[in-house]
Short mmCIF file of all heavy atoms in Angstrom, two decimals:
data_model
loop_
_atom_site.label_atom_id
_atom_site.label_comp_id
_atom_site.label_asym_id
_atom_site.label_seq_id
_atom_site.Cartn_x
_atom_site.Cartn_y
_atom_site.Cartn_z
N MET A 23 4.39 7.21 -11.70
CA MET A 23 4.00 6.84 -10.34
C MET A 23 2.89 7.76 -9.83
O MET A 23 1.93 7.31 -9.21
CB MET A 23 5.20 6.89 -9.41
CG MET A 23 6.21 5.80 -9.69
SD MET A 23 7.64 5.87 -8.63
CE MET A 23 6.92 5.42 -7.07
N ALA A 24 3.02 9.06 -10.11
CA ALA A 24 1.99 10.01 -9.69
C ALA A 24 0.65 9.68 -10.34
O ALA A 24 -0.40 9.75 -9.69
CB ALA A 24 2.42 11.44 -10.02
N ALA A 25 0.68 9.29 -11.60
CA ALA A 25 -0.55 8.92 -12.30
C ALA A 25 -1.18 7.69 -11.66
O ALA A 25 -2.40 7.62 -11.48
CB ALA A 25 -0.27 8.68 -13.78
N ALA A 26 -0.34 6.71 -11.31
CA ALA A 26 -0.85 5.50 -10.66
C ALA A 26 -1.47 5.82 -9.31
O ALA A 26 -2.54 5.32 -8.97
CB ALA A 26 0.27 4.47 -10.51
N VAL A 27 -0.81 6.68 -8.54
CA VAL A 27 -1.34 7.05 -7.22
C VAL A 27 -2.67 7.80 -7.37
O VAL A 27 -3.61 7.56 -6.62
CB VAL A 27 -0.31 7.90 -6.43
CG1 VAL A 27 -0.94 8.48 -5.17
CG2 VAL A 27 0.90 7.06 -6.07
N GLU A 28 -2.74 8.68 -8.37
CA GLU A 28 -3.99 9.41 -8.57
C GLU A 28 -5.13 8.48 -8.95
O GLU A 28 -6.26 8.66 -8.54
CB GLU A 28 -3.81 10.49 -9.64
CG GLU A 28 -5.01 11.39 -9.74
CD GLU A 28 -4.76 12.65 -10.52
OE1 GLU A 28 -3.70 13.27 -10.33
OE2 GLU A 28 -5.63 13.01 -11.34
N LYS A 29 -4.82 7.47 -9.74
CA LYS A 29 -5.86 6.54 -10.18
C LYS A 29 -6.19 5.49 -9.12
O LYS A 29 -7.33 5.10 -8.97
CB LYS A 29 -5.43 5.85 -11.47
CG LYS A 29 -6.44 4.85 -11.98
CD LYS A 29 -6.36 4.68 -13.46
CE LYS A 29 -7.32 3.66 -14.00
NZ LYS A 29 -8.71 3.97 -13.86
N TYR A 30 -5.16 5.01 -8.39
CA TYR A 30 -5.35 3.90 -7.47
C TYR A 30 -5.12 4.35 -6.02
O TYR A 30 -4.04 4.21 -5.48
CB TYR A 30 -4.39 2.75 -7.81
CG TYR A 30 -4.56 2.24 -9.21
CD1 TYR A 30 -3.62 2.55 -10.20
CD2 TYR A 30 -5.65 1.46 -9.56
CE1 TYR A 30 -3.79 2.09 -11.50
CE2 TYR A 30 -5.81 1.00 -10.86
CZ TYR A 30 -4.88 1.31 -11.82
OH TYR A 30 -5.03 0.86 -13.10
N HIS A 31 -6.15 4.86 -5.42
CA HIS A 31 -6.07 5.27 -4.02
C HIS A 31 -7.48 5.29 -3.43
O HIS A 31 -8.47 5.20 -4.15
CB HIS A 31 -5.45 6.67 -3.90
CG HIS A 31 -6.35 7.76 -4.37
ND1 HIS A 31 -6.51 8.06 -5.72
CD2 HIS A 31 -7.17 8.60 -3.70
CE1 HIS A 31 -7.39 9.04 -5.84
NE2 HIS A 31 -7.81 9.38 -4.64
N ASP A 32 -7.54 5.38 -2.12
CA ASP A 32 -8.79 5.61 -1.42
C ASP A 32 -8.50 6.53 -0.25
O ASP A 32 -7.39 7.09 -0.16
CB ASP A 32 -9.45 4.29 -0.99
CG ASP A 32 -8.62 3.46 -0.03
OD1 ASP A 32 -7.65 4.00 0.56
OD2 ASP A 32 -8.94 2.28 0.16
N GLU A 33 -9.44 6.68 0.65
CA GLU A 33 -9.25 7.61 1.77
C GLU A 33 -8.16 7.17 2.74
O GLU A 33 -7.65 7.96 3.52
CB GLU A 33 -10.57 7.85 2.53
CG GLU A 33 -11.20 6.61 3.12
CD GLU A 33 -11.98 5.74 2.13
OE1 GLU A 33 -12.23 6.18 0.99
OE2 GLU A 33 -12.30 4.61 2.51
N GLN A 34 -7.74 5.88 2.65
CA GLN A 34 -6.68 5.38 3.54
C GLN A 34 -5.28 5.61 2.97
O GLN A 34 -4.31 5.61 3.71
CB GLN A 34 -6.84 3.87 3.77
CG GLN A 34 -8.21 3.40 4.17
CD GLN A 34 -8.78 4.08 5.39
OE1 GLN A 34 -8.05 4.31 6.35
NE2 GLN A 34 -10.04 4.41 5.36
N GLY A 35 -5.19 5.75 1.65
CA GLY A 35 -3.88 5.94 1.02
C GLY A 35 -3.81 5.29 -0.35
O GLY A 35 -4.80 5.12 -1.03
N ILE A 36 -2.60 4.91 -0.72
CA ILE A 36 -2.33 4.33 -2.04
C ILE A 36 -2.79 2.87 -2.07
O ILE A 36 -2.75 2.17 -1.06
CB ILE A 36 -0.81 4.38 -2.34
CG1 ILE A 36 -0.29 5.81 -2.24
CG2 ILE A 36 -0.50 3.79 -3.72
CD1 ILE A 36 1.23 5.91 -2.21
N ILE A 37 -3.21 2.43 -3.25
CA ILE A 37 -3.49 1.01 -3.50
C ILE A 37 -2.66 0.65 -4.73
O ILE A 37 -3.13 0.75 -5.86
CB ILE A 37 -4.99 0.74 -3.75
CG1 ILE A 37 -5.83 1.25 -2.60
CG2 ILE A 37 -5.22 -0.75 -3.99
CD1 ILE A 37 -7.33 1.21 -2.85
N TRP A 38 -1.39 0.30 -4.52
CA TRP A 38 -0.50 0.05 -5.65
C TRP A 38 -0.98 -1.13 -6.48
O TRP A 38 -1.31 -2.18 -5.94
CB TRP A 38 0.91 -0.29 -5.17
CG TRP A 38 1.70 0.85 -4.67
CD1 TRP A 38 2.11 1.05 -3.40
CD2 TRP A 38 2.20 1.96 -5.43
NE1 TRP A 38 2.83 2.23 -3.31
CE2 TRP A 38 2.90 2.80 -4.54
CE3 TRP A 38 2.12 2.33 -6.77
CZ2 TRP A 38 3.51 3.97 -4.95
CZ3 TRP A 38 2.72 3.50 -7.19
CH2 TRP A 38 3.41 4.31 -6.29
N PRO A 39 -0.99 -0.97 -7.80
CA PRO A 39 -1.16 -2.16 -8.64
C PRO A 39 0.04 -3.08 -8.37
O PRO A 39 1.16 -2.60 -8.18
CB PRO A 39 -1.10 -1.61 -10.06
CG PRO A 39 -1.42 -0.14 -9.93
CD PRO A 39 -0.90 0.26 -8.59
N GLU A 40 -0.18 -4.36 -8.32
CA GLU A 40 0.88 -5.29 -7.96
C GLU A 40 2.12 -5.13 -8.84
O GLU A 40 3.24 -5.29 -8.37
CB GLU A 40 0.37 -6.73 -8.05
CG GLU A 40 -0.68 -7.02 -7.00
CD GLU A 40 -1.39 -8.35 -7.22
OE1 GLU A 40 -0.97 -9.13 -8.09
OE2 GLU A 40 -2.37 -8.59 -6.50
N SER A 41 1.93 -4.79 -10.11
CA SER A 41 3.06 -4.71 -11.04
C SER A 41 4.05 -3.60 -10.70
O SER A 41 5.21 -3.67 -11.10
CB SER A 41 2.55 -4.53 -12.47
OG SER A 41 1.79 -3.34 -12.56
N ILE A 42 3.62 -2.57 -9.97
CA ILE A 42 4.53 -1.46 -9.65
C ILE A 42 4.65 -1.18 -8.16
O ILE A 42 5.25 -0.19 -7.76
CB ILE A 42 4.15 -0.16 -10.40
CG1 ILE A 42 2.74 0.31 -10.03
CG2 ILE A 42 4.30 -0.35 -11.90
CD1 ILE A 42 2.39 1.68 -10.59
N ALA A 43 4.11 -2.06 -7.34
CA ALA A 43 4.21 -1.87 -5.88
C ALA A 43 5.67 -1.94 -5.44
O ALA A 43 6.41 -2.80 -5.92
CB ALA A 43 3.40 -2.95 -5.16
N PRO A 44 6.10 -1.06 -4.53
CA PRO A 44 7.48 -1.11 -4.07
C PRO A 44 7.83 -2.44 -3.38
O PRO A 44 8.95 -2.93 -3.50
CB PRO A 44 7.60 0.06 -3.10
CG PRO A 44 6.21 0.47 -2.78
CD PRO A 44 5.33 -0.01 -3.89
N TYR A 45 6.89 -2.99 -2.68
CA TYR A 45 6.97 -4.33 -2.10
C TYR A 45 5.60 -4.94 -2.24
O TYR A 45 4.58 -4.26 -2.14
CB TYR A 45 7.35 -4.29 -0.60
CG TYR A 45 8.76 -3.83 -0.36
CD1 TYR A 45 9.04 -2.50 -0.09
CD2 TYR A 45 9.82 -4.74 -0.40
CE1 TYR A 45 10.33 -2.07 0.13
CE2 TYR A 45 11.12 -4.32 -0.18
CZ TYR A 45 11.38 -2.98 0.08
OH TYR A 45 12.66 -2.57 0.29
N LYS A 46 5.54 -6.24 -2.43
CA LYS A 46 4.24 -6.91 -2.60
C LYS A 46 3.58 -7.23 -1.26
O LYS A 46 2.37 -7.21 -1.14
CB LYS A 46 4.41 -8.22 -3.37
CG LYS A 46 5.15 -8.10 -4.69
CD LYS A 46 4.44 -7.23 -5.69
CE LYS A 46 5.10 -7.32 -7.04
NZ LYS A 46 5.67 -6.12 -7.54
N VAL A 47 4.42 -7.53 -0.25
CA VAL A 47 3.90 -7.99 1.03
C VAL A 47 4.55 -7.21 2.16
O VAL A 47 5.76 -6.99 2.16
CB VAL A 47 4.17 -9.50 1.23
CG1 VAL A 47 3.63 -9.98 2.58
CG2 VAL A 47 3.57 -10.31 0.09
N ASN A 48 3.73 -6.81 3.13
CA ASN A 48 4.22 -6.17 4.35
C ASN A 48 3.86 -7.09 5.51
O ASN A 48 2.68 -7.37 5.74
CB ASN A 48 3.56 -4.80 4.53
CG ASN A 48 4.03 -4.08 5.78
OD1 ASN A 48 5.09 -4.36 6.31
ND2 ASN A 48 3.22 -3.15 6.25
N ILE A 49 4.87 -7.55 6.22
CA ILE A 49 4.63 -8.39 7.40
C ILE A 49 4.67 -7.50 8.63
O ILE A 49 5.65 -6.76 8.83
CB ILE A 49 5.67 -9.52 7.51
CG1 ILE A 49 5.57 -10.43 6.28
CG2 ILE A 49 5.47 -10.31 8.81
CD1 ILE A 49 6.64 -11.47 6.19
N VAL A 50 3.62 -7.55 9.43
CA VAL A 50 3.50 -6.69 10.61
C VAL A 50 3.36 -7.53 11.87
O VAL A 50 2.29 -8.05 12.16
CB VAL A 50 2.28 -5.74 10.48
CG1 VAL A 50 2.16 -4.88 11.73
CG2 VAL A 50 2.38 -4.88 9.23
N PRO A 51 4.47 -7.69 12.62
CA PRO A 51 4.32 -8.28 13.95
C PRO A 51 3.73 -7.22 14.88
O PRO A 51 4.27 -6.13 14.98
CB PRO A 51 5.75 -8.66 14.34
CG PRO A 51 6.64 -7.80 13.48
CD PRO A 51 5.85 -7.42 12.27
N VAL A 52 2.60 -7.53 15.50
CA VAL A 52 1.92 -6.55 16.36
C VAL A 52 2.83 -6.13 17.50
O VAL A 52 2.98 -4.95 17.79
CB VAL A 52 0.58 -7.11 16.88
CG1 VAL A 52 -0.03 -6.18 17.92
CG2 VAL A 52 -0.39 -7.30 15.70
N ASN A 53 3.46 -7.10 18.15
CA ASN A 53 4.35 -6.81 19.27
C ASN A 53 5.69 -7.48 18.99
O ASN A 53 5.85 -8.68 19.19
CB ASN A 53 3.75 -7.33 20.58
CG ASN A 53 4.64 -7.07 21.77
OD1 ASN A 53 5.73 -6.51 21.65
ND2 ASN A 53 4.18 -7.49 22.95
N ILE A 54 6.64 -6.72 18.51
CA ILE A 54 7.95 -7.25 18.13
C ILE A 54 8.68 -7.85 19.32
O ILE A 54 9.56 -8.70 19.16
CB ILE A 54 8.80 -6.19 17.40
CG1 ILE A 54 9.98 -6.83 16.65
CG2 ILE A 54 9.28 -5.12 18.35
CD1 ILE A 54 9.58 -7.69 15.49
N ASP A 55 8.30 -7.44 20.54
CA ASP A 55 8.94 -7.98 21.74
C ASP A 55 8.38 -9.34 22.15
O ASP A 55 8.96 -10.03 22.98
CB ASP A 55 8.81 -6.99 22.90
CG ASP A 55 9.57 -5.70 22.63
OD1 ASP A 55 10.62 -5.76 21.95
OD2 ASP A 55 9.11 -4.63 23.08
N ASP A 56 7.24 -9.73 21.56
CA ASP A 56 6.66 -11.04 21.84
C ASP A 56 7.47 -12.08 21.05
O ASP A 56 7.57 -11.99 19.82
CB ASP A 56 5.19 -11.07 21.42
CG ASP A 56 4.53 -12.41 21.67
OD1 ASP A 56 4.80 -13.34 20.87
OD2 ASP A 56 3.76 -12.53 22.63
#
């Protein structure tokens, strides 16, 4: 995992290869109260 993070990242953070991503999709409701 450390090797993957070192190879696949940018200034924003990790860019997981799809094959080892902890989750493939993150759903973000901007306002959960809406």
Side-chain angles (χ1 to χ4, degrees):
M23 291 179 69
V27 170
E28 188 166 317
K29 179 153 178 64
Y30 302 105
H31 72 280
D32 61 15
E33 60 280 349
Q34 311 305 320
I36 304 167
I37 304 172
W38 285 113
E40 293 170 8
S41 59
I42 61 172
Y45 291 94
K46 308 297 189 243
V47 180
N48 180 22
I49 298 173
V50 179
V52 172
N53 180 359
I54 196 67
D55 295 327
D56 180 284

